[in-house]
Amino acid sequence: MADRDENNENMVIVDDDGEFDDDEDGEETSTAPNVSVAVRIQEFPQECFKDTAIRKGAFFCEACREEISVKRSTIINHINTHKHLSGKEKLHQKAKRERDLAEVLRAYDEENHPIGETLSMNTRVFRLKVVTAFMKAGIAINKINCFRSILEESAYKLTDRTNMAQLIPVVHQEEKKNTLEELTGREISIVFDGTTRLGEALVIIVRFLDSEWKIQQRLLRFLLLAKSLAGEEVAREIISVLAR
């Protein structure tokens, strides 16, 4: 579509997107598409776009965690990149992971009926993910309050550190379940050792090869003891671990 400026003989070309192209002198007349974010999101329903961008004339791509212009050519180029396709796959894995966590919480509820079990499952799954992340990073749970404002900024509400700590047994159950699934059907080696350096302790570790032939190891047990164990007692602990 072509429009003529009454005060200028140059032609202004507007394409089907409502985006202004260069005039005859090669000067760009506008860089902002005349299309709303909502319209663009509706045009790409299979993509993980949200109208949460800060910048005007852009939307947020959840797969890539970045803002994208509403210009159609930019969108098409973006959704065909390896980064975007990989990000979408990670989102699918995230959704599956959250469904698994929801099942873990439901099973835990049936046995323990913890505080907060009536909250929405999305909120509880988010809290469980936060506790898991803190434990994997080696950050004390009582530090959660220091991160609470930023963690809640674009997600669900957390709770006091005391209540968050009550999710630790759920994390433990999930870790045991995941470890069992990893080890099922595999050849494994058991490593155990003790130390008296800072107190009597016994550690039992399992090592195995994953599907990519990479060596993996998992901590199965860490015991603080009143005294060192004899050979039969160590064997009993190892059998106890394997039986679980």
Side-chain angles (χ1 to χ4, degrees):
M1 180 175 66
D3 291 334
R4 183 176 297 276
D5 191 330
E6 294 180 356
N7 299 319
N8 194 322
E9 293 300 320
N10 291 333
M11 298 292 289
V12 177
I13 309 300
V14 183
D15 64 17
D16 292 338
D17 291 344
E19 299 169 5
F20 294 90
D21 291 337
D22 296 343
D23 61 15
E24 291 179 351
D25 295 331
E27 296 180 357
E28 190 174 289
T29 57
S30 175
T31 59
N34 189 25
V35 179
S36 71
V37 171
V39 169
R40 280 292 188 250
I41 292 177
Q42 290 176 359
E43 289 179 3
F44 297 88
Q46 303 302 319
E47 302 301 330
C48 38
F49 298 150
K50 282 194 172 182
D51 188 7
T52 55
I54 298 176
R55 180 164 56 95
K56 185 178 180 181
F59 53 79
F60 190 74
C61 175
E62 288 195 307
C64 304
R65 311 304 299 171
E66 63 184 38
E67 294 182 357
I68 305 297
S69 168
V70 296
K71 188 174 181 180
R72 179 181 280 122
S73 59
T74 300
I75 297 172
I76 292 174
N77 289 335
H78 176 80
I79 64 178
N80 288 310
T81 61
H82 174 74
K83 177 182 178 181
H84 182 75
L85 296 174
S86 176
K88 286 180 67 175
E89 178 59 29
K90 289 179 181 178
L91 282 181
H92 291 315
Q93 294 174 0
K94 173 178 174 286
K96 180 181 181 302
R97 162 80 169 153
E98 290 178 347
R99 289 193 296 270
D100 292 341
L101 291 177
E103 289 301 318
V104 171
L105 284 168
R106 291 189 185 98
Y108 186 76
D109 290 348
E110 291 179 1
E111 296 181 2
N112 301 277
H113 300 289
I115 296 174
E117 66 175 321
T118 58
L119 294 172
S120 73
M121 188 55 70
N122 286 339
T123 298
R124 298 184 65 204
V125 166
F126 174 67
R127 292 179 179 181
L128 181 57
K129 288 167 62 178
V130 170
V131 172
T132 302
F134 269 64
M135 295 183 70
K136 285 185 176 180
I139 302 174
I141 299 299
N142 59 14
K143 299 288 186 181
I144 281 183
N145 287 350
C146 300
F147 297 88
R148 186 169 175 177
S149 60
I150 188 66
L151 290 172
E152 291 179 340
E153 193 169 277
S154 300
Y156 298 96
K157 186 176 178 62
L158 297 176
T159 184
D160 184 77
R161 62 187 184 183
T162 303
N163 293 329
M164 294 291 286
Q166 293 181 7
L167 291 170
I168 293 176
V170 184
V171 177
H172 184 215
Q173 283 191 4
E174 192 210 2
E175 284 298 313
K176 290 199 300 183
K177 173 178 171 289
N178 291 340
T179 301
L180 180 61
E181 290 176 353
E182 283 184 314
L183 300 181
T184 300
R186 297 186 185 276
E187 298 288 338
I188 63 173
S189 64
I190 303 294
V191 181
F192 62 93
D193 199 2
T195 179
T196 58
R197 183 169 179 268
L198 297 176
E200 198 66 42
L202 174 68
V203 172
I204 301 176
I205 295 172
V206 61
R207 287 180 180 163
F208 61 94
L209 291 175
D210 63 16
S211 57
E212 297 180 354
W213 289 86
K214 294 181 180 179
I215 297 176
Q216 302 288 345
Q217 70 177 22
R218 300 289 182 266
L219 174 66
L220 297 186
R221 180 164 294 183
F222 175 73
L223 292 175
L224 294 176
L225 307 166
K227 62 182 183 65
S228 59
L229 299 180
E232 291 183 359
E233 293 172 321
V234 172
R236 186 164 53 247
E237 288 295 333
I238 294 174
I239 293 172
S240 173
V241 168
L242 295 178
R244 294 186 178 186

